Amino acid sequence: MASTKLLQKALKELEEAKPAYVEADKFYTGSFAEPFQSVVMQRLLMRKEVNYKAVLSAVPVDAVVEKLEIVDIQTNEEFATEGIQDVWKANQMQFVHKSAILAAEKFGDAYIFVWPEYESDTTVLDPATGVVTAYQSPLKVRVFYDDINPARKTHAVKRLKTGRGKQERAWLYLADGTIELYETPENKCGIEDFRYIEDVENPSGQIPFIHLRNDIPYGRPLHEKAYGPQNQITKFIVNEVSGSDFNAFPQRYALAKTKGTSGGDDIDWSGTDETVPDQDENQVSKLVSGPGRIWDLSGFDSVGQFNSADVDQYLKPIEKAVELMAVATGTPAYYFSADTVGGGTPSGESIRQRDARLNTKASWHQQHLDAGFEEMLYMAAELLFLGDDDLSISIKWKPIEYVSETEKLELVQKKIDLGVPVAVAFAESGYDEETVREWLAGQPNEVELLRRVTVLNTLGDAMQKLGTAAALGLDMANVNELVNNLIQDIGGLREEPAEDVL
């Protein structure tokens, strides 16, 4: 039975959510309109058809997105790990997942469509992809949740144009796996015009959309609080630059004693009078500077010009608006600066302190996104028949907090010194599995050797103390066994890492 009423309600909510998404996109891309308080000034400036905008409202989004990147995916089963990584690479998710994260932060919501890919005319999964994972815009897709349990999906809707006149097509996805297809006539596209066509087979048996969001149940544009300051910045910049021509050529004036007196020349060049050079660049005006020249200003008592506006009247409010944007969005102020010599850009411990609030926000958003990508991978594994109920998937993200490469390697060494396996130490520091494998494969395991030598040196110091203890009657049987095993382990250090080292 068709769920027409549910579809209409879902499409209505999809349409109601669009304006906020459109506004978020405009303030990210810079396609927003300048606000005007005066209709006269709006007509005067808008007809110039120039763009003086400085789009800083995108900075709070980019600052967080730059910190969110998946570097590796692992499971507790080798076969499942290979299958999931194949899906990830086949769908170029190493790039697509960044675009999806950007959309999730820019709009607050983004979706990934998960669907099995079959060979033509068969039920066999395509060996090249197996499962398709594709980004979906929140302008076209919306997932709905239970009022009591916002983590449980109740249904989803997708709306697209068919390209045939005004006709549109919509799909309603229900929690039981049912997919209903609807269409409008070619000359209509209203919500009330959709008619049920047929049910579509759903191999996944569930709603195939993964919701990436920065809040529950729906996210908000990360730069939403930057809209106001951005409008201020735009206003100040447009006003200042639009008046720059006047500042370069200030308005001049001439004062006459009586109304009937006229001067020898019009000294206020309007761009249309006879004082403008002719087409042959000949100066028509009599007010020409040069040796032996005299300006005939008969009839005028005095001349002068109005002072240009002080540029600080524009620059200082712009600086204040940028400061307000930084505070409102929790973005360090130096992210908005254009320092190129390093004098105003912090580093090391200083940058970690300034980024503390930003890192906290990025970490919170990472948890939301991690849940979405994890759901996507489990759905892909289920469609590929990988693993079982005990399958565990682990997503490794790039470290959020800034750490220099030197500090990162020092931390890796400290972990190795404490006994952490080499591959694990590198992975926990954000290095992907393939890179670590290239570093260690086919080469003497010098890192592991260094760790064991360090352990041996430490053991030597301990042996001296144990010798004293033995002289006092301590039973050394267990200690001797431990020492012999350790020495054998160090002596048998392999030239190449074992296959299961990673």
Side-chain angles (χ1 to χ4, degrees):
M1 181 177 178
S3 308
T4 306
K5 291 295 183 182
L6 182 61
L7 173 77
Q8 292 174 350
K9 182 180 178 180
L11 289 175
K12 182 179 179 181
E13 291 191 33
L14 175 63
E15 290 301 309
E16 290 175 347
K18 277 187 178 182
Y21 295 142
V22 172
E23 184 180 32
D25 184 65
K26 287 182 178 180
F27 274 94
Y28 183 82
T29 60
S31 57
F32 53 86
E34 178 193 357
F36 289 94
Q37 300 299 324
S38 169
V39 177
V40 175
M41 291 302 298
Q42 181 179 10
R43 292 173 180 173
L44 178 65
L45 294 177
M46 289 188 67
R47 68 183 182 182
K48 292 180 178 295
E49 297 181 356
V50 293
N51 185 354
Y52 296 135
K53 297 173 185 173
V55 187
L56 298 182
S57 50
V59 174
V61 177
D62 293 336
V64 172
V65 172
E66 289 172 1
K67 293 177 175 291
L68 302 175
E69 181 179 354
I70 296 175
V71 295
D72 193 23
I73 299 170
Q74 294 290 320
T75 75
N76 58 342
E77 299 180 14
E78 182 178 354
F79 178 74
T81 299
E82 293 178 357
I84 289 176
Q85 290 182 350
D86 287 344
V87 170
W88 189 266
K89 294 176 181 178
N91 290 278
Q92 296 186 321
M93 287 299 294
Q94 64 269 34
F95 309 113
V96 175
H97 92 280
K98 287 291 291 185
S99 299
I101 290 175
L102 174 59
E105 298 296 2
K106 179 176 67 174
F107 297 122
D109 302 291
Y111 299 95
I112 294 181
F113 182 63
V114 183
W115 196 256
E117 184 81 356
Y118 297 102
E119 294 180 338
S120 55
D121 300 329
T122 70
T123 58
V124 179
L125 289 174
D126 190 323
T129 55
V131 173
V132 173
T133 56
Y135 162 72
Q136 303 285 291
S137 170
L139 294 169
K140 300 176 181 178
V141 175
R142 191 167 182 84
V143 171
F144 300 88
Y145 298 90
D146 184 81
D147 293 335
I148 299 177
N149 181 9
R152 188 176 72 85
K153 300 175 185 177
T154 56
H155 58 289
V157 67
K158 180 176 181 178
R159 182 176 183 176
L160 292 176
K161 295 183 180 297
T162 63
R164 298 192 296 271
K166 295 182 179 180
Q167 186 183 52
E168 294 190 7
R169 182 174 294 169
W171 291 263
L172 181 64
Y173 303 82
L174 302 178
D176 62 2
T178 302
I179 301 178
E180 298 177 357
L181 173 62
Y182 295 78
E183 283 185 356
T184 67
E186 290 190 12
N187 61 340
K188 294 182 180 181
C189 60
I191 292 177
E192 303 294 333
D193 299 320
F194 281 92
R195 297 293 181 265
Y196 171 79
I197 302 299
E198 62 181 358
D199 281 2
V200 178
E201 183 180 358
N202 182 4
S204 69
Q206 54 187 311
I207 297 175
F209 289 104
I210 305 302
H211 190 180
L212 302 179
R213 48 191 171 171
N214 54 29
D215 205 350
I216 295 177
Y218 299 101
R220 303 183 69 87
L222 189 59
H223 56 319
E224 188 176 38
K225 295 180 180 179
Y227 296 173
Q230 177 62 65
N231 282 332
Q232 297 176 41
I233 293 170
T234 302
K235 174 63 67 178
F236 295 138
I237 290 179
V238 172
N239 288 350
E240 195 279 329
V241 179
S242 296
S244 62
D245 290 346
F246 177 82
N247 293 336
F249 303 98
Q251 178 65 50
R252 294 169 292 172
Y253 60 85
L255 300 177
K257 289 183 178 180
T258 63
K259 293 183 178 180
T261 304
S262 60
D265 201 355
D266 184 357
I267 63 174
D268 188 10
W269 290 10
S270 65
T272 59
D273 61 29
E274 60 182 7
T275 65
V276 178
D278 61 20
Q279 60 182 359
D280 297 323
E281 298 299 325
N282 295 318
Q283 188 67 269
V284 179
S285 174
K286 292 180 291 183
L287 302 184
V288 180
S289 298
R293 290 187 177 273
I294 298 177
W295 285 9
D296 181 7
L297 297 175
S298 58
F300 290 113
D301 184 59
S302 64
V303 296
Q305 70 178 28
F306 294 104
N307 294 329
S308 301
D310 185 359
V311 70
D312 282 346
Q313 295 180 6
Y314 300 100
L315 296 182
K316 288 184 178 179
I318 290 176
E319 293 174 358
K320 189 63 178 180
V322 172
E323 181 182 334
L324 290 174
M325 184 181 293
V327 173
T329 61
T331 307
Y334 73 87
Y335 275 80
F336 298 92
S337 67
D339 182 77
T340 57
V341 296
T345 303
S347 60
E349 184 61 29
S350 177
I351 196 172
R352 283 194 286 272
Q353 292 178 2
R354 297 194 189 190
D355 278 5
R357 184 181 175 191
L358 178 65
N359 290 340
T360 300
K361 178 169 60 177
S363 178
W364 174 248
H365 289 197
Q366 184 188 88
Q367 294 179 48
H368 281 290
L369 294 168
D370 185 85
F373 282 110
E374 186 177 279
E375 181 186 356
M376 181 197 78
L377 295 174
Y378 273 113
M379 186 179 295
E382 183 178 344
L383 293 173
L384 292 171
F385 305 103
L386 299 175
D388 48 32
D389 294 339
D390 296 327
L391 179 66
S392 175
I393 298 177
S394 174
I395 300 175
K396 297 178 182 177
W397 294 79
K398 180 181 73 173
I400 289 177
E401 184 177 9
Y402 171 78
V403 180
S404 67
E405 201 65 24
T406 301
E407 293 175 308
K408 191 185 299 185
L409 292 174
E410 288 178 353
L411 180 60
V412 170
Q413 183 61 58
K414 290 179 180 179
K415 290 183 178 181
I416 293 174
D417 292 343
L418 292 173
V420 177
V422 178
V424 175
F426 277 111
E428 290 179 349
S429 297
Y431 295 98
D432 62 272
E433 178 187 0
E434 185 175 349
T435 299
V436 176
R437 182 180 289 110
E438 290 177 356
W439 286 350
L440 300 181
Q443 300 178 3
N445 199 335
E446 297 178 0
V447 177
E448 179 68 8
L449 175 61
L450 177 61
R451 183 184 72 82
R452 297 189 188 186
V453 169
T454 301
V455 172
L456 184 59
N457 291 334
T458 304
L459 179 62
D461 295 337
M463 288 297 294
Q464 293 180 357
K465 297 177 182 179
L466 288 172
T468 303
L472 296 175
L474 178 66
D475 184 4
M476 299 293 292
N478 294 333
V479 176
N480 289 335
E481 182 179 357
L482 174 63
V483 172
N484 289 334
N485 290 338
L486 179 59
I487 293 177
Q488 290 176 7
D489 184 34
I490 295 174
L493 180 66
R494 52 184 174 271
E495 287 297 311
E496 298 184 1
E499 294 181 357
D500 60 349
V501 72
L502 296 177

